């Protein structure tokens, strides 16, 4: 982790705070992370802005504001095992790794997973485990999870993910069509789903068996 003097993500945290995010733990985690390391070299100068940036293979690193909003909805205390679907750049996984016990992250593109792993290893984040494959099916061998975060747009909540959620746990996922989704929080109460919509958002498609079909 870079020294505090470098404050690598201070500028991002400031922009996110100005938009109304006040959670000190989430802002603190973002302030510690050098977002520029998560984007391709040619887009480095965009990394300091509160916007999504392309990372190749038609995928993007999410806008920091939405990363913060989703993380807050997970309501992490530090003790949780968290499953993330859509490793992408690894930035969201890094935020989670600083705020939870253990992070399990699944990405369908090997190239992105390996690249993210390189960056996260370089930052010394050791409580993250990686899987390459279809995240709509979760990670059955490691279930149950206290929290699940889906960082790609799902047409509906993948049943496998709800199944792998612990009782009292919560899933945060963008659910809707490929143009616009509602950021949705689903809790498991006595085995049943309780859903709440938080805000509109726009993510790339979740492509898989319990998501969108390829193409
Ligand atoms: N969390 C990322 C943002 C990822 S963008 C970050 O912080 O940068 C969405 C990612 O989800 C893309 O990398 C895409 O390849 C991946 N994805 C889409 N469908 C998936 C699936 N079924 N399983 C795993 N990853 C998937």
């Amino acid at each position: 982790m870079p020294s505090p003097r470098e404050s690598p993500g201070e500028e991002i945290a400031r922009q996110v705070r100005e938009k109304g995010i006040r959670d000190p733990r989430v802002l603190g985690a973002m302030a510690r992370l050098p977002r520029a390391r998560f984007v391709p070299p040619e887009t480095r100068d965009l990394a300091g802005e509160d916007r999504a940036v392309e990372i190749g293979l038609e995928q993007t690193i999410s806008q920091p504001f939405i990363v913060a909003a989703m993380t807050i909805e997970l309501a992490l205390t530090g003790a949780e095992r968290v499953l993330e679907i859509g490793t992408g750049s690894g930035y969201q996984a890094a935020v989670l790794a600083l705020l939870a016990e253990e992070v399990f992250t699944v990405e369908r593109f090997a190239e992105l997973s390996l690249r993210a792993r390189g960056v996260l290893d370089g930052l010394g984040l050791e409580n993250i485990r990686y899987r390459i494959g279809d995240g709509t099916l979760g990670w059955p061998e490691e279930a149950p999870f206290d929290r699940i975060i889906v960082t790609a747009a799902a047409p509906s909540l993948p049943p496998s993910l709800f199944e792998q959620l612990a009782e009292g746990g919560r899933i945060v996922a963008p659910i809707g069509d490929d143009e616009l989704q509602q950021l949705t929080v689903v809790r498991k109460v006595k085995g049943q789903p309780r859903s709440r919509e938080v805000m509109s958002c726009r993510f790339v498609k979740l492509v898989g068996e319990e998501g969108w079909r390829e193409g």
Side-chain angles (χ1 to χ4, degrees), residues 55 59-62 67 84-93 106-109 112 133-136 151-152 203-208:
I55 57 171
Q59 306 303 324
T60 55
I61 176 173
S62 308
V67 170
E84 179 195 31
I85 309 306
T87 312
S89 69
Y91 182 75
Q92 172 77 70
V106 186
E107 168 59 49
R108 63 189 279 255
F109 291 120
L112 294 180
D134 180 5
T136 66
T151 65
F203 278 82
V204 299
K205 276 188 191 176
L206 179 75
V207 178

Side-chain angles (χ1 to χ4, degrees), residues 90-147:
Y91 182 75
Q92 172 77 70
V95 173
L96 297 173
L98 292 174
L99 300 174
E101 174 79 25
E102 201 168 11
V103 179
F104 299 81
T105 184
V106 186
E107 168 59 49
R108 63 189 279 255
F109 291 120
E111 185 181 331
L112 294 180
S113 178
L114 296 172
R115 200 196 293 161
R117 187 180 186 142
V119 174
L120 296 165
D121 282 349
L123 290 172
L125 295 168
E126 290 172 354
N127 57 338
I128 307 176
R129 297 196 27 215
Y130 304 82
R131 179 175 174 132
I132 297 164
D134 180 5
T136 66
L137 304 175
W139 192 330
E141 298 84 354
E142 293 292 345
F145 300 96
D146 305 303
R147 304 285 189 269

